[in-house]
Amino acid sequence: ENNDLSWSGSEDLINVIWATRENATLHFLVVHAQIILLTYGSAHSNSELFNTLLLMWFPPGQELPRAYLVGGSGGAGPSSSQQGKEALLIPDWLKLKMIRSSVSVLVDSALRDLEPQQLVLFIQSFGIPVESMSKLLHTLDQAVKTDLKSVSESVLDKNYMGQLVAVQHRRGASGGLTFAKALELKLNMGGPKLSSSSHPSSPLPSINIPPRSSAIIPPSQVKATLMQILEVGSPSRMTSKEKQDSFRTLHKSLTQEL
């Protein structure tokens, strides 16, 4: 039966390798779709299908699966001995969706190995639950202790950042005080408690986040990515920040090709 499977679109495929050395060849979009489904949570607390999918992509006590592009001259398939470039299995826009989820496993996984620039960017995002925001702020506190210079360079507007941390505390979040003290942010903790949808009214400053070196957009997805960024055809479901992240990654990929 496997002989009937065509690998002509192998640029869309990735070899996923788990820590147990199990592997599978999958379509990029299938992986992302499964993780997005997980962000919606389970309708039942003991859903076997949900738990199986969650354990598959986020196995407890193990490294997350790694992905490698399938391809090369002459075509490639699961049996190919040629290992492709490592691909970014979970891009930043998907990590942000995970952080906005109510599934704690997804939130904790998304926060693993985040760089200071990403942490500073994510705490400025809208729609993050209070519990997830607390985890973000506590993670940022740890980043200050290990790499204060990078954290400081990522903050372009200290007044806004001080307002942001204060407002998150008024929402009920915790953490971020070590971060605020190290950067000498002015926190106004007064005022009434805010609802979870409240945010500071100051405009969001732009932050220059360099694309991760491992981020790769498969060649066959370049056209679709551009159409989503430019909103050509059907309305794009990407947020403005997701568009910026995708554009940076796309620009880097095209530059490498040239």
Side-chain angles (χ1 to χ4, degrees), residues 47-74:
S47 172
E48 182 178 354
L49 290 176
F50 177 85
N51 292 332
T52 299
L53 197 61
L54 186 65
L55 289 173
M56 182 177 73
W57 290 113
F58 304 96
Q62 298 180 17
E63 291 186 5
L64 297 182
R66 304 178 76 92
Y68 300 88
L69 290 179
V70 171
S73 58

Side-chain angles (χ1 to χ4, degrees), residues 22-237:
E22 294 175 294
N23 65 86
T25 301
L26 301 168
H27 196 288
F28 239 120
L29 298 182
V30 171
V31 177
H32 290 172
Q34 291 184 9
I35 296 177
I36 290 173
L37 283 175
L38 288 173
T39 65
Y40 290 97
S42 173
H44 307 286
S45 58
N46 190 25
S47 172
E48 182 178 354
L49 290 176
F50 177 85
N51 292 332
T52 299
L53 197 61
L54 186 65
L55 289 173
M56 182 177 73
W57 290 113
F58 304 96
Q62 298 180 17
E63 291 186 5
L64 297 182
R66 304 178 76 92
Y68 300 88
L69 290 179
V70 171
S73 58
S79 61
S80 173
S81 61
Q82 182 179 2
Q83 185 72 282
K85 293 182 179 179
E86 184 170 4
L88 184 60
L89 188 63
I90 305 179
D92 286 353
W93 65 265
L94 187 51
K95 286 185 178 181
L96 185 56
K97 286 183 179 295
M98 292 165 60
I99 291 173
R100 288 172 174 156
S101 170
S102 61
V103 182
S104 60
V105 172
L106 298 183
V107 178
D108 295 339
S109 296
L111 293 178
R112 288 169 59 178
D113 302 323
L114 285 182
E115 298 175 359
Q117 300 97 325
Q118 294 171 295
L119 289 169
V120 172
L121 175 65
F122 284 171
I123 66 170
Q124 298 176 77
S125 301
F126 294 87
I128 296 180
V130 172
E131 184 176 355
S132 296
M133 181 59 70
S134 295
K135 290 183 178 181
L136 265 172
L137 290 172
H138 282 294
T139 305
L140 190 57
D141 285 339
Q142 294 301 315
V144 166
K145 298 176 182 179
T146 58
D147 193 354
L148 175 59
K149 180 180 178 182
S150 294
V151 174
S152 180
E153 290 176 349
S154 302
V155 177
L156 302 184
D157 189 335
K158 290 188 176 182
N159 289 331
Y160 171 80
M161 195 58 62
Q163 292 179 28
L164 177 66
V165 174
V167 166
Q168 297 303 338
H169 273 259
R170 288 166 62 190
R171 291 179 64 213
S174 61
L177 297 182
T178 301
F179 163 68
K181 182 178 179 180
L183 272 68
E184 300 180 347
L185 305 181
K186 295 181 180 179
L187 304 183
N188 180 12
M189 296 298 194
K193 263 193 171 293
L194 302 177
S195 65
S196 60
S197 61
S198 300
H199 294 272
S201 58
S202 302
L204 185 67
S206 60
I207 295 182
N208 182 24
I209 306 288
R212 296 173 66 89
S213 59
S214 58
I216 295 176
I217 295 179
S220 66
Q221 294 187 32
V222 170
K223 179 180 178 180
T225 301
L226 274 174
M227 292 180 69
Q228 289 188 59
I229 294 174
L230 301 176
E231 297 187 0
V232 176
S234 58
S236 173
R237 296 183 178 180

